Coordinates of all heavy atoms in Angstrom, one line a residue:
M8 N -55.7 20.7 44.3 CA -54.8 19.6 44.3 C -55.4 18.5 45.2 O -55.7 18.8 46.3 CB -53.4 19.9 44.7 CG -52.6 18.7 44.9 SD -50.9 19.1 45.2 CE -50.2 18.7 43.7
I9 N -55.2 17.2 44.8 CA -55.8 16.1 45.4 C -54.5 15.3 45.7 O -53.9 14.9 44.7 CB -56.8 15.3 44.8 CG1 -58.1 16.2 44.6 CG2 -57.2 14.2 45.6 CD1 -59.3 15.5 43.9
S10 N -54.2 14.8 46.9 CA -53.1 13.9 47.3 C -53.5 13.2 48.4 O -54.1 13.7 49.4 CB -51.8 14.8 47.5 OG -50.9 14.0 48.0
S11 N -53.1 11.9 48.5 CA -53.4 11.0 49.6 C -52.2 11.3 50.7 O -52.3 10.7 51.8 CB -53.4 9.7 49.3 OG -52.3 9.2 48.6
S12 N -51.3 12.0 50.4 CA -50.2 12.3 51.2 C -50.5 13.2 52.5 O -51.3 14.1 52.4 CB -49.0 13.0 50.5 OG -48.0 13.3 51.4
A13 N -49.9 12.9 53.6 CA -50.1 13.8 54.8 C -49.0 15.0 54.8 O -49.1 15.9 55.6 CB -50.0 13.0 56.1
H14 N -48.2 15.0 53.8 CA -47.1 15.9 53.7 C -47.2 16.8 52.5 O -46.2 17.4 52.1 CB -45.8 15.1 53.8 CG -45.6 14.2 54.9 ND1 -45.4 14.5 56.2 CD2 -45.8 12.8 54.8 CE1 -45.4 13.4 56.8 NE2 -45.5 12.3 56.1
I15 N -48.4 16.9 51.9 CA -48.3 17.7 50.7 C -48.0 19.1 50.9 O -47.4 19.7 50.0 CB -49.7 17.4 49.9 CG1 -49.6 17.8 48.4 CG2 -50.9 18.0 50.5 CD1 -48.6 17.1 47.6
A16 N -48.6 19.7 52.0 CA -48.4 21.2 52.3 C -46.9 21.4 52.2 O -46.5 22.4 51.6 CB -49.1 21.4 53.4
R17 N -46.2 20.6 52.9 CA -44.8 20.8 53.0 C -44.0 20.6 51.7 O -43.1 21.3 51.4 CB -44.2 19.8 54.1 CG -42.8 20.2 54.4 CD -42.4 19.3 55.7 NE -43.5 18.3 56.1 CZ -43.3 17.3 56.7 NH1 -42.1 16.8 57.2 NH2 -44.3 16.5 57.0
M18 N -44.4 19.5 50.9 CA -43.8 19.4 49.6 C -44.2 20.6 48.6 O -43.3 21.0 47.8 CB -44.4 18.0 49.0 CG -43.9 16.8 49.6 SD -44.3 15.3 48.8 CE -46.0 15.1 49.4
L19 N -45.4 21.0 48.7 CA -45.7 22.2 47.8 C -44.9 23.4 48.3 O -44.4 24.2 47.4 CB -47.2 22.5 48.0 CG -48.2 21.6 47.3 CD1 -49.6 21.8 47.7 CD2 -47.9 21.6 45.8
A20 N -44.7 23.6 49.6 CA -43.9 24.8 50.0 C -42.5 24.6 49.5 O -41.9 25.6 49.0 CB -43.9 24.9 51.5
R21 N -41.9 23.5 49.6 CA -40.5 23.2 49.3 C -40.2 23.4 47.8 O -39.2 23.8 47.3 CB -40.0 21.8 49.9 CG -39.9 21.8 51.2 CD -39.2 20.5 51.7 NE -39.0 20.5 53.1 CZ -38.8 19.4 53.8 NH1 -38.7 18.2 53.2 NH2 -38.5 19.4 55.0
S22 N -41.2 23.0 47.0 CA -41.1 23.1 45.6 C -41.4 24.4 45.1 O -41.1 24.7 43.8 CB -42.1 22.1 44.9 OG -43.4 22.4 45.1
G23 N -42.0 25.3 45.9 CA -42.3 26.7 45.3 C -43.6 26.7 44.6 O -44.0 27.7 43.9
L24 N -44.4 25.5 44.8 CA -45.7 25.6 44.0 C -46.9 25.9 44.8 O -48.0 26.0 44.4 CB -45.8 24.1 43.5 CG -44.9 23.7 42.4 CD1 -45.1 22.1 42.0 CD2 -45.1 24.5 41.2
A25 N -46.7 26.2 46.1 CA -47.8 26.3 47.0 C -48.7 27.6 46.6 O -49.9 27.6 46.7 CB -47.3 26.8 48.5
S26 N -48.0 28.7 46.0 CA -48.7 29.8 45.5 C -49.6 29.6 44.3 O -50.5 30.5 44.0 CB -47.7 30.9 45.4 OG -46.8 30.6 44.2
V27 N -49.4 28.5 43.7 CA -50.3 28.2 42.4 C -51.3 27.3 42.7 O -52.1 27.0 41.8 CB -49.4 27.9 41.2 CG1 -48.4 28.9 40.8 CG2 -48.7 26.5 41.5
I28 N -51.4 26.8 43.9 CA -52.5 25.9 44.3 C -53.5 26.6 45.0 O -53.3 27.1 46.0 CB -52.0 24.6 45.1 CG1 -50.9 23.9 44.4 CG2 -53.0 23.6 45.6 CD1 -51.2 23.3 43.1
D29 N -54.8 26.5 44.5 CA -55.9 27.2 45.1 C -56.3 26.6 46.4 O -56.8 27.3 47.4 CB -57.1 27.4 44.2 CG -56.9 28.2 43.0 OD1 -56.0 29.3 43.0 OD2 -57.5 28.1 42.0
D30 N -56.3 25.3 46.3 CA -57.0 24.5 47.6 C -56.3 23.1 47.5 O -55.8 22.8 46.3 CB -58.4 24.6 47.6 CG -59.0 24.4 48.9 OD1 -58.3 23.9 49.9 OD2 -60.2 24.5 49.1
R31 N -56.5 22.4 48.5 CA -56.0 21.0 48.3 C -56.9 20.0 49.4 O -57.4 20.6 50.3 CB -54.6 20.9 48.9 CG -54.4 21.0 50.2 CD -52.9 20.9 50.7 NE -52.6 21.0 52.0 CZ -52.7 22.0 52.7 NH1 -52.8 23.2 52.2 NH2 -52.4 21.9 54.1
I32 N -56.9 18.9 48.9 CA -57.7 17.8 49.5 C -56.6 16.8 49.8 O -56.0 16.3 48.8 CB -58.8 17.2 48.8 CG1 -59.9 18.1 48.4 CG2 -59.4 16.0 49.7 CD1 -60.9 18.6 49.6
D33 N -56.2 16.6 51.1 CA -55.1 15.7 51.4 C -55.6 14.8 52.5 O -56.7 14.7 52.9 CB -53.7 16.5 51.8 CG -54.0 17.5 53.0 OD1 -55.0 17.4 53.6 OD2 -53.1 18.3 53.2
A34 N -54.6 14.0 53.0 CA -54.9 12.9 54.1 C -55.5 13.6 55.2 O -56.4 13.2 55.8 CB -53.6 12.3 54.4
E35 N -55.1 14.9 55.6 CA -55.6 15.6 56.8 C -57.2 15.9 56.6 O -58.1 15.6 57.4 CB -54.9 16.9 56.8 CG -54.7 17.3 58.3 CD -53.7 18.6 58.2 OE1 -54.5 19.6 58.2 OE2 -52.5 18.5 58.4
V36 N -57.5 16.4 55.4 CA -59.0 16.7 55.0 C -59.7 15.4 54.9 O -60.9 15.3 55.4 CB -59.0 17.4 53.7 CG1 -60.4 17.7 53.2 CG2 -58.3 18.8 53.8
V37 N -59.2 14.4 54.2 CA -60.0 13.1 54.2 C -60.3 12.5 55.5 O -61.4 12.1 55.8 CB -59.1 12.0 53.3 CG1 -59.6 10.6 53.4 CG2 -58.9 12.6 51.9
L38 N -59.4 12.6 56.5 CA -59.7 12.0 57.8 C -60.6 12.9 58.5 O -61.5 12.6 59.1 CB -58.3 12.1 58.6 CG -58.2 11.3 59.8 CD1 -58.5 9.7 59.5 CD2 -56.9 11.3 60.5
A39 N -60.5 14.2 58.5 CA -61.3 15.2 59.2 C -62.8 15.0 58.8 O -63.7 15.2 59.5 CB -60.8 16.6 59.1
Q40 N -62.9 15.0 57.4 CA -64.4 14.9 56.8 C -64.8 13.5 56.7 O -66.0 13.3 56.2 CB -64.3 15.5 55.4 CG -64.0 17.1 55.5 CD -64.1 17.8 54.2 OE1 -64.7 17.2 53.2 NE2 -63.7 19.1 54.2
G41 N -64.1 12.5 56.9 CA -64.6 11.0 56.9 C -64.8 10.7 55.4 O -65.7 9.9 55.1
L42 N -64.0 11.1 54.5 CA -64.1 10.8 53.2 C -63.8 9.4 52.8 O -62.6 8.9 53.4 CB -63.4 11.8 52.3 CG -63.8 13.3 52.4 CD1 -62.9 14.2 51.5 CD2 -65.3 13.6 52.0
S43 N -64.3 8.6 51.9 CA -63.9 7.3 51.5 C -62.8 7.5 50.5 O -62.8 8.5 49.6 CB -65.1 6.6 50.9 OG -66.0 6.3 52.0
A44 N -61.8 6.7 50.5 CA -60.7 6.7 49.4 C -61.3 6.1 48.1 O -62.4 5.5 48.0 CB -59.6 5.8 49.9
R45 N -60.5 6.5 47.1 CA -60.8 5.9 45.7 C -60.9 4.5 45.8 O -60.1 3.8 46.6 CB -59.8 6.4 44.8 CG -59.8 7.9 44.5 CD -58.6 8.2 43.7 NE -58.4 9.7 43.6 CZ -57.4 10.3 43.8 NH1 -56.3 9.8 44.0 NH2 -57.4 11.7 43.7
P46 N -61.7 3.7 45.2 CA -62.4 4.2 44.0 C -63.8 5.0 44.3 O -64.4 5.3 43.4 CB -62.8 2.8 43.3 CG -62.9 1.8 44.4 CD -61.9 2.2 45.4
A47 N -64.1 5.1 45.4 CA -65.2 6.0 45.9 C -64.9 7.4 45.3 O -63.8 7.9 45.3 CB -65.6 6.0 47.2
P48 N -65.9 8.2 44.8 CA -65.7 9.5 44.2 C -65.7 10.7 45.4 O -65.6 11.8 45.0 CB -67.0 9.6 43.4 CG -68.0 8.9 44.1 CD -67.3 7.7 44.6
D49 N -65.7 10.2 46.5 CA -65.8 11.2 47.7 C -64.7 12.4 47.6 O -65.0 13.5 47.7 CB -65.7 10.5 49.1 CG -66.7 9.6 49.4 OD1 -67.5 9.1 48.5 OD2 -66.9 9.2 50.5
V50 N -63.4 12.0 47.5 CA -62.5 12.9 47.4 C -62.5 14.0 46.2 O -62.3 15.2 46.4 CB -61.1 12.3 47.5 CG1 -60.0 13.2 47.3 CG2 -61.0 11.5 48.8
L51 N -62.9 13.4 45.0 CA -63.1 14.2 43.9 C -64.3 15.2 44.0 O -64.2 16.3 43.7 CB -63.3 13.4 42.7 CG -62.0 12.5 42.3 CD1 -62.3 11.5 41.2 CD2 -60.9 13.4 41.8
L52 N -65.4 14.7 44.6 CA -66.6 15.5 44.7 C -66.4 16.6 45.9 O -66.8 17.6 45.7 CB -67.8 14.6 45.1 CG -68.2 13.7 44.0 CD1 -69.3 12.7 44.5 CD2 -68.7 14.5 42.8
A53 N -65.5 16.2 46.8 CA -65.2 17.1 47.9 C -64.4 18.3 47.2 O -64.6 19.5 47.6 CB -64.4 16.5 49.0
A54 N -63.4 18.0 46.4 CA -62.6 19.0 45.8 C -63.5 19.9 44.9 O -63.5 21.2 44.9 CB -61.6 18.4 44.8
C55 N -64.5 19.3 44.2 CA -65.4 20.1 43.4 C -66.2 21.1 44.3 O -66.3 22.2 43.9 CB -66.4 19.3 42.6 SG -65.6 18.4 41.2
R56 N -66.7 20.6 45.4 CA -67.4 21.4 46.3 C -66.7 22.7 46.8 O -67.0 23.8 46.8 CB -67.9 20.8 47.5 CG -69.3 19.9 47.2 CD -69.9 19.2 48.5 NE -68.9 18.4 49.3 CZ -68.8 17.2 49.1 NH1 -69.4 16.6 48.0 NH2 -67.9 16.4 49.7
R57 N -65.4 22.4 47.1 CA -64.5 23.4 47.6 C -64.1 24.5 46.6 O -63.9 25.6 46.9 CB -63.2 22.9 48.2 CG -63.5 22.1 49.5 CD -62.2 21.5 50.0 NE -61.5 22.3 50.9 CZ -60.7 22.0 51.9 NH1 -60.3 20.8 51.9 NH2 -60.1 22.9 52.7
L58 N -64.1 24.0 45.3 CA -63.7 25.1 44.2 C -65.0 25.7 43.6 O -64.9 26.5 42.7 CB -63.0 24.2 43.2 CG -61.6 23.8 43.6 CD1 -61.0 22.9 42.5 CD2 -60.7 25.1 43.8
G59 N -66.2 25.1 44.1 CA -67.5 25.6 43.5 C -67.7 25.3 42.1 O -68.2 26.1 41.4
V60 N -67.3 24.2 41.7 CA -67.6 23.8 40.4 C -68.4 22.4 40.3 O -68.4 21.8 41.4 CB -66.3 23.5 39.5 CG1 -65.5 24.8 39.4 CG2 -65.4 22.5 40.3
T61 N -69.0 22.1 39.3 CA -69.6 20.8 39.2 C -68.8 19.8 38.6 O -67.9 20.1 37.7 CB -70.9 21.0 38.1 OG1 -70.6 21.2 36.9 CG2 -71.8 21.9 38.8
A62 N -68.9 18.6 38.9 CA -68.0 17.5 38.4 C -68.1 17.4 36.9 O -67.1 17.1 36.3 CB -68.4 16.3 39.2
A63 N -69.3 17.6 36.4 CA -69.4 17.5 35.0 C -68.6 18.5 34.2 O -68.2 18.3 33.0 CB -70.9 17.6 34.6
D64 N -68.2 19.6 34.8 CA -67.4 20.6 34.2 C -65.9 20.4 34.6 O -65.1 21.4 34.3 CB -67.8 22.0 34.7 CG -69.2 22.3 34.2 OD1 -69.6 21.9 33.0 OD2 -70.0 23.1 34.9
T65 N -65.5 19.4 35.0 CA -64.1 19.2 35.4 C -63.4 17.8 34.7 O -64.2 17.2 34.1 CB -64.0 18.9 36.9 OG1 -64.6 17.8 37.3 CG2 -64.5 20.2 37.7
A66 N -62.2 17.8 34.9 CA -61.5 16.6 34.4 C -60.5 16.2 35.5 O -60.1 17.0 36.4 CB -60.6 16.9 33.2
T67 N -60.3 14.8 35.6 CA -59.4 14.4 36.5 C -58.3 13.6 35.7 O -58.7 12.9 34.7 CB -60.0 13.4 37.5 OG1 -59.0 12.9 38.5 CG2 -60.8 12.2 37.0
L68 N -57.0 13.8 36.1 CA -56.1 13.1 35.5 C -55.6 12.1 36.5 O -55.2 12.4 37.6 CB -54.8 14.1 35.2 CG -55.2 14.9 33.9 CD1 -55.7 16.3 34.5 CD2 -54.1 15.2 33.0
T69 N -55.3 10.8 36.1 CA -55.0 9.9 37.2 C -54.2 8.7 36.4 O -54.1 8.5 35.1 CB -56.3 9.2 37.7 OG1 -56.0 8.3 38.7 CG2 -57.1 8.4 36.6
H70 N -53.4 8.1 37.3 CA -52.6 7.0 36.9 C -53.0 5.6 37.4 O -52.2 4.6 37.2 CB -51.1 7.4 37.3 CG -50.9 7.3 38.8 ND1 -51.3 8.4 39.5 CD2 -50.5 6.4 39.6 CE1 -51.0 8.1 40.8 NE2 -50.4 6.9 40.9
S71 N -54.1 5.6 38.0 CA -54.5 4.3 38.7 C -55.8 3.9 38.2 O -56.8 4.6 38.0 CB -54.5 4.6 40.2 OG -55.6 5.2 40.7
P72 N -56.2 2.7 38.2 CA -57.5 2.1 37.9 C -58.5 2.6 38.9 O -59.6 3.0 38.5 CB -57.4 0.6 37.9 CG -56.0 0.3 37.7 CD -55.1 1.5 38.3
D73 N -58.2 2.7 40.2 CA -59.1 3.3 41.1 C -59.4 4.7 40.9 O -60.6 5.2 41.1 CB -58.5 3.1 42.5 CG -58.8 1.8 43.2 OD1 -59.4 0.9 42.5 OD2 -58.1 1.5 44.3
G74 N -58.4 5.6 40.3 CA -58.7 6.9 39.9 C -59.6 7.0 38.8 O -60.5 8.0 38.8
V75 N -59.5 6.2 37.9 CA -60.5 6.1 36.7 C -61.9 5.9 37.2 O -62.8 6.6 36.8 CB -60.0 5.1 35.7 CG1 -61.0 5.1 34.5 CG2 -58.6 5.5 35.1
I76 N -62.0 4.9 38.0 CA -63.3 4.5 38.5 C -63.9 5.5 39.4 O -65.1 5.9 39.2 CB -63.1 3.1 39.3 CG1 -62.8 2.0 38.4 CG2 -64.5 2.9 40.1 CD1 -62.4 0.7 39.3
A77 N -63.1 6.3 40.2 CA -63.6 7.4 41.0 C -64.0 8.5 40.1 O -65.1 9.1 40.4 CB -62.6 7.8 41.9
G78 N -63.3 8.8 39.2 CA -63.6 9.9 38.1 C -64.9 9.6 37.4 O -65.6 10.5 37.2
R79 N -65.1 8.5 37.1 CA -66.3 8.1 36.3 C -67.5 8.1 37.1 O -68.6 8.5 36.8 CB -66.2 6.8 35.7 CG -65.1 6.7 34.4 CD -65.1 5.4 33.7 NE -66.5 5.1 33.2 CZ -66.9 4.0 32.9 NH1 -66.0 2.9 33.0 NH2 -68.0 3.6 32.6
A80 N -67.3 7.7 38.5 CA -68.4 7.7 39.3 C -68.8 9.1 39.7 O -70.0 9.3 40.0 CB -68.1 6.8 40.7
A81 N -67.8 10.0 39.8 CA -68.1 11.4 40.0 C -68.8 12.2 38.9 O -69.3 13.2 39.1 CB -66.8 12.1 40.4
G82 N -68.7 11.6 37.7 CA -69.2 12.3 36.5 C -68.3 13.2 35.9 O -68.7 14.0 35.2
M83 N -67.0 12.9 36.1 CA -66.0 13.8 35.5 C -65.4 13.3 34.1 O -65.6 12.1 33.9 CB -64.8 14.0 36.4 CG -65.0 14.6 37.7 SD -63.6 14.5 38.8 CE -63.8 15.7 39.9
T84 N -64.7 14.1 33.3 CA -63.9 13.6 32.2 C -62.8 13.0 32.8 O -62.0 13.7 33.8 CB -63.6 14.9 31.2 OG1 -64.8 15.5 30.8 CG2 -62.8 14.4 30.2
V85 N -62.4 11.9 32.4 CA -61.2 11.2 33.0 C -60.1 10.9 32.0 O -60.4 10.4 30.9 CB -61.7 9.7 33.5 CG1 -60.5 9.0 34.2 CG2 -62.8 9.9 34.6
V86 N -58.9 11.4 32.4 CA -57.8 11.1 31.5 C -56.8 10.3 32.3 O -56.4 10.8 33.4 CB -57.2 12.5 31.0 CG1 -55.9 12.3 30.1 CG2 -58.1 13.4 30.3
A87 N -56.5 9.2 31.7 CA -55.5 8.3 32.3 C -54.1 8.6 31.8 O -54.0 8.7 30.6 CB -55.8 6.9 32.1
I88 N -53.1 8.6 32.7 CA -51.9 9.0 32.3 C -50.8 7.8 32.5 O -50.7 7.4 33.6 CB -51.2 10.3 33.1 CG1 -52.1 11.4 33.0 CG2 -49.7 10.4 32.5 CD1 -52.3 12.0 31.6
A89 N -50.5 7.0 31.4 CA -49.7 5.9 31.7 C -49.1 5.5 30.3 O -49.8 5.6 29.1 CB -50.4 4.7 32.2
A90 N -47.9 5.0 30.3 CA -47.3 4.4 29.0 C -47.6 2.9 29.2 O -48.0 2.3 30.0 CB -45.7 4.6 29.1
E91 N -47.4 2.3 27.9 CA -47.5 0.8 27.8 C -46.6 0.1 28.7 O -45.5 0.7 29.0 CB -47.3 0.3 26.4 CG -48.4 0.8 25.4 CD -49.8 0.3 25.7 OE1 -50.0 -0.7 26.4 OE2 -50.8 1.0 25.2
P92 N -47.0 -1.1 29.3 CA -48.2 -1.8 29.1 C -49.3 -1.2 30.1 O -50.4 -1.8 30.1 CB -47.8 -3.2 29.6 CG -46.7 -3.0 30.5 CD -45.9 -1.8 30.2
R93 N -48.9 -0.4 31.1 CA -50.0 0.0 32.0 C -51.0 0.7 31.4 O -52.3 0.7 31.8 CB -49.3 1.0 33.0 CG -50.1 1.5 34.2 CD -49.6 1.0 35.4 NE -50.4 1.6 36.5 CZ -51.2 0.9 37.2 NH1 -51.4 -0.3 37.0 NH2 -52.0 1.4 38.2
A94 N -50.9 1.5 30.2 CA -51.9 2.2 29.5 C -53.0 1.3 29.2 O -54.3 1.5 29.2 CB -51.3 2.9 28.3
E95 N -52.7 0.1 28.8 CA -53.7 -1.0 28.4 C -54.7 -1.4 29.7 O -55.9 -1.5 29.4 CB -53.1 -2.2 27.9 CG -54.1 -3.3 27.1 CD -53.3 -4.4 26.5 OE1 -52.2 -4.2 25.9 OE2 -53.9 -5.4 26.5
V96 N -54.1 -1.4 30.8 CA -54.8 -1.7 32.0 C -55.8 -0.7 32.2 O -56.9 -0.9 32.5 CB -53.8 -2.0 33.2 CG1 -54.6 -2.0 34.5 CG2 -52.8 -3.2 33.1
L97 N -55.2 0.6 32.2 CA -56.1 1.7 32.5 C -57.2 1.8 31.5 O -58.3 2.1 31.8 CB -55.3 2.9 32.6 CG -54.3 3.1 33.7 CD1 -53.5 4.3 33.7 CD2 -55.1 3.0 35.1
A98 N -56.9 1.7 30.2 CA -57.9 1.7 29.1 C -58.9 0.7 29.4 O -60.2 1.0 29.1 CB -57.3 1.5 27.7
G99 N -58.8 -0.3 30.0 CA -59.8 -1.4 30.3 C -60.8 -1.0 31.3 O -61.9 -1.6 31.4
V100 N -60.5 0.1 32.2 CA -61.5 0.6 33.1 C -62.3 1.8 32.7 O -63.2 2.3 33.3 CB -60.9 0.7 34.5 CG1 -60.7 -0.5 35.2 CG2 -59.6 1.7 34.5
G101 N -61.9 2.3 31.4 CA -63.0 3.1 30.8 C -62.6 4.5 30.9 O -63.7 5.3 31.0
P102 N -61.3 5.1 31.0 CA -61.3 6.5 30.9 C -61.7 7.1 29.6 O -61.8 6.4 28.5 CB -59.8 6.8 31.0 CG -59.1 5.4 30.4 CD -60.2 4.4 30.8
G103 N -62.0 8.4 29.6 CA -62.2 9.0 28.1 C -61.0 9.1 27.3 O -61.4 9.1 26.1
R104 N -59.9 9.1 28.0 CA -58.7 9.1 27.1 C -57.5 8.6 27.8 O -57.5 8.7 29.1 CB -58.4 10.6 26.7 CG -57.1 10.8 25.8 CD -56.9 12.2 25.4 NE -55.7 12.2 24.6 CZ -55.2 13.4 24.2 NH1 -55.8 14.5 24.5 NH2 -54.1 13.5 23.6
V105 N -56.6 8.1 27.2 CA -55.3 7.7 27.7 C -54.2 8.3 27.1 O -54.1 8.2 25.8 CB -55.2 6.0 27.8 CG1 -53.9 5.6 28.3 CG2 -56.3 5.3 28.3
A106 N -53.3 8.9 27.8 CA -52.2 9.6 27.3 C -50.9 9.1 27.9 O -50.9 8.6 29.1 CB -52.3 11.2 27.7
P107 N -49.7 8.9 27.1 CA -48.6 8.3 27.6 C -47.9 9.2 28.6 O -47.0 8.6 29.4 CB -47.8 8.1 26.4 CG -48.3 9.1 25.4 CD -49.7 9.3 25.7
S108 N -48.2 10.4 28.6 CA -47.6 11.4 29.6 C -48.2 12.7 29.7 O -49.0 12.8 28.8 CB -46.0 11.6 29.2 OG -46.2 12.4 28.0
L109 N -47.9 13.5 30.7 CA -48.6 14.8 30.7 C -48.2 15.6 29.6 O -48.9 16.4 29.0 CB -48.2 15.6 32.1 CG -48.8 14.8 33.4 CD1 -48.3 15.5 34.5 CD2 -50.4 15.1 33.2
A110 N -46.8 15.4 29.3 CA -46.4 16.2 28.0 C -47.1 16.1 26.8 O -47.3 16.9 26.0 CB -44.9 16.0 27.8
A111 N -47.7 14.8 26.6 CA -48.4 14.4 25.4 C -49.7 15.1 25.3 O -50.4 15.3 24.3 CB -48.7 12.9 25.4
L112 N -50.2 15.8 26.4 CA -51.4 16.5 26.5 C -51.2 18.0 26.1 O -52.3 18.7 25.9 CB -52.1 16.4 27.8 CG -52.5 15.0 28.2 CD1 -53.0 15.1 29.8 CD2 -53.5 14.4 27.4
L113 N -49.9 18.5 26.1 CA -49.7 19.8 25.9 C -49.7 20.1 24.3 O -49.5 19.4 23.5 CB -48.3 20.3 26.3 CG -48.0 20.2 27.8 CD1 -46.5 20.4 28.1 CD2 -48.8 21.2 28.5
D114 N -50.1 21.4 24.1 CA -50.2 21.9 22.7 C -48.7 21.9 22.4 O -47.8 22.5 23.1 CB -50.7 23.3 22.8 CG -50.9 24.0 21.4 OD1 -49.9 23.7 20.5 OD2 -51.8 24.7 21.2
R115 N -48.2 21.4 21.1 CA -46.9 21.3 20.9 C -46.2 22.7 20.7 O -45.0 22.8 21.0 CB -46.9 20.6 19.5 CG -47.2 19.1 19.5 CD -46.2 18.3 20.2 NE -46.8 16.9 20.4 CZ -46.6 16.3 21.5 NH1 -45.9 16.9 22.4 NH2 -47.1 15.1 21.7
R116 N -47.0 23.7 20.4 CA -46.4 25.1 20.4 C -45.8 25.5 21.8 O -45.0 26.3 21.9 CB -47.4 26.1 20.0 CG -47.8 25.8 18.4 CD -49.1 26.6 18.0 NE -50.2 26.2 18.7 CZ -51.3 26.6 18.8 NH1 -51.6 27.7 17.9 NH2 -52.3 26.2 19.5
L117 N -46.4 24.9 22.8 CA -45.8 25.2 24.2 C -44.5 24.6 24.5 O -43.8 24.9 25.4 CB -46.8 24.8 25.3 CG -48.2 25.5 25.3 CD1 -49.2 24.9 26.1 CD2 -48.1 27.1 25.4
L118 N -44.1 23.6 23.8 CA -43.0 22.8 24.0 C -41.7 23.4 23.3 O -40.6 23.0 23.6 CB -43.1 21.3 23.6 CG -44.2 20.6 24.3 CD1 -44.2 19.2 23.7 CD2 -43.8 20.4 25.7
R119 N -41.9 24.5 22.5 CA -40.9 25.1 21.7 C -40.1 26.2 22.6 O -40.5 26.8 23.6 CB -41.4 25.9 20.6 CG -41.7 24.9 19.5 CD -42.2 25.7 18.2 NE -43.3 24.9 17.8 CZ -44.2 25.5 16.9 NH1 -44.1 26.7 16.5 NH2 -45.2 24.7 16.4

């Protein structure tokens, strides 16, 4: 998980999601490692290194133009998540796909 929040560990614990997250890059890690913020790809590439995967074999889901730019610079598949009119803005920075919501990416059979 990637988050710019300094409180993500606490939020994951409170939500009961901490056990399903393998690793995280958060404000603490960004500061400790001197990583540049988006639109630089530093944070995404650091996550790939920590997980032992190549950027080309991953996807990033983002809701911001800077996230799209960072994902493209990292060499990832980029999926922008936004409804209109924001979707048009994100499409303009070149993601591989724009979806109106995370639910739109699910196999319809999973929603039953």
Side-chain angles (χ1 to χ4, degrees):
M8 168 175 257
I9 298 173
S10 173
S11 58
S12 174
H14 308 288
I15 195 65
R17 196 170 1 161
M18 288 189 284
L19 289 170
R21 285 185 181 167
S22 68
L24 294 173
S26 64
V27 299
I28 303 297
D29 292 331
D30 204 347
R31 70 179 191 280
I32 303 285
D33 57 15
E35 222 175 86
V36 173
V37 169
L38 197 61
Q40 293 185 10
L42 301 174
S43 294
R45 295 176 186 129
D49 297 18
V50 173
L51 296 172
L52 294 172
C55 289
R56 284 191 300 274
R57 287 179 94 158
L58 293 171
V60 297
T61 64
D64 291 330
T65 65
T67 183
L68 292 95
T69 185
H70 65 279
S71 73
D73 282 350
V75 172
I76 294 165
R79 289 186 60 202
M83 298 175 152
T84 297
V85 180
V86 179
I88 309 295
E91 293 297 338
R93 184 123 175 102
E95 191 174 326
V96 171
L97 292 177
V100 281
R104 179 173 179 187
V105 179
S108 68
L109 289 173
L112 299 173
L113 290 175
D114 182 322
R115 296 287 171 222
R116 294 171 292 182
L117 296 173
L118 298 175
R119 291 185 218 158

